[in-house]
Amino acid sequence: MRESSYPLAGLRQRIARIAASGGFESRPAEGWLKSGHASFDDALGGGLAVGRCHEFFAADALDATSAAAFAALLALRTPGRAPLVWLRTSDAGKRSGHIYAPGIAELGGDPDRLLLVETPDAKMLLACANDAIRCAGSAAVIVESWGRFPLFDLTAGRRLALGARDAGTTLLMLRLNAAPAPSVAETRWSVAAAASHALEANAPGAPAFDLELLRWRGGGAGMRWRLDWNHDEQSFSPNAGDTALSGTLLSLPARRAMASHGAEAA
């Protein structure tokens, strides 16, 4: 059976060409994708495991942009110039906003590394994810979905996870307007927007995120962090308004009801 249709085979070839010209050798095939926040990375044994599947759930529908931003910034910390593949359906921009290359550059990321692929529906999204994750040249693959995404069941998840492991590509499943459910993910996170702290002259503060570790195969869940994105360092750092924030010591406000999740995906 052919694994790829003609368009998907084209996607593979394009990623391979980008990788060949962008330093495939610089992409770590194993190890850790570090946030840059020492206690966060230490608590996870070094960071998020490379070549594994990690899920990021928006705490509620209003946090979709924050969850997407956190996954993107984390992926952009992958060293080297190997491409980052972001897969979403063509109607995603209407729901969670369009991906704006100058905005990524403003945050310190390199938009030239980002290969955006929009698919007509969720079925093609999953097919593209299976192909993209097996492209050894990509550093990370972000798969953005909206709603329950029933096609992404345990069987499909296992297939993606095996592909990520074999290719050494980190898979970041961005689950928007969806409720957490059993999966093969190495880690599962809830992401929400946090209050940022104004800079000098009342300039807008750094993007800030509330994170809760919902599941971790390598250890316990329930740890929480509040992180800022440091543009100059291109890394995450402790929130400017807090002093001792790592682990379970951090008390975050109760999140909005998860019951709002679960609207059917397109």
Side-chain angles (χ1 to χ4, degrees):
M1 182 179 70
R2 290 183 59 192
E3 186 173 345
S4 300
S5 65
Y6 178 78
L8 298 184
L11 172 61
R12 278 180 170 240
Q13 293 171 2
R14 184 173 180 185
I15 294 173
R17 285 198 300 272
I18 295 173
S21 61
F24 166 70
E25 295 78 5
S26 66
R27 179 187 67 89
E30 57 184 11
W32 310 103
L33 176 54
K34 296 180 179 295
S35 71
H37 184 297
S39 65
F40 178 92
D41 295 333
D42 289 346
L44 296 173
L48 271 66
V50 169
R52 296 293 186 270
C53 174
H54 306 278
E55 283 186 298
F56 298 89
F57 286 82
D60 72 18
L62 297 177
D63 292 308
T65 301
S66 290
F70 182 79
L73 292 171
L74 191 63
L76 286 164
R77 282 188 46 79
T78 306
R81 297 183 56 200
L84 307 167
V85 183
W86 191 323
L87 303 171
R88 61 189 339 212
T89 53
S90 56
D91 56 359
K94 298 178 181 177
R95 292 168 165 164
S96 55
H98 295 281
I99 297 173
Y100 186 53
I104 293 175
E106 183 66 24
L107 290 171
D110 178 6
D112 289 340
R113 292 184 64 191
L114 192 64
L115 176 60
L116 175 64
V117 179
E118 293 188 340
T119 68
D121 52 40
K123 182 178 180 180
M124 183 59 75
L125 177 70
L126 187 60
C128 285
N130 274 299
D131 262 37
I133 200 65
R134 287 172 171 76
C135 293
S138 56
V141 175
I142 298 174
V143 180
E144 175 186 338
S145 65
W146 184 272
R148 291 194 301 109
F149 198 10
L151 293 174
F152 182 59
D153 57 14
L154 287 176
T155 300
R158 187 173 296 109
R159 189 180 185 202
L160 284 173
L162 290 174
R165 185 199 63 186
D166 293 345
T169 304
T170 305
L171 173 62
L172 306 178
M173 295 296 300
L174 182 55
R175 307 294 309 278
L176 306 180
N177 198 35
S183 72
V184 298
E186 182 79 9
T187 64
R188 182 179 304 129
W189 299 87
S190 173
V191 184
S196 62
H197 297 269
L199 304 177
E200 294 182 4
N202 205 30
F209 307 89
D210 279 344
L211 302 176
E212 180 178 1
L213 180 58
L214 303 176
R215 182 179 187 274
W216 177 29
R217 284 178 176 268
M223 293 183 286
R224 297 182 175 187
W225 290 269
R226 182 168 295 160
L227 306 183
D228 284 351
W229 173 251
N230 186 317
H231 171 277
D232 295 332
E233 301 292 336
Q234 296 186 24
S235 68
F236 292 95
S237 60
N239 183 259
D242 298 290
T243 54
L245 301 177
S246 62
T248 55
L249 294 177
L250 174 58
S251 176
L252 298 180
R255 295 301 310 160
R256 288 154 288 202
M258 295 290 285
S260 62
H261 291 307
E264 192 62 52

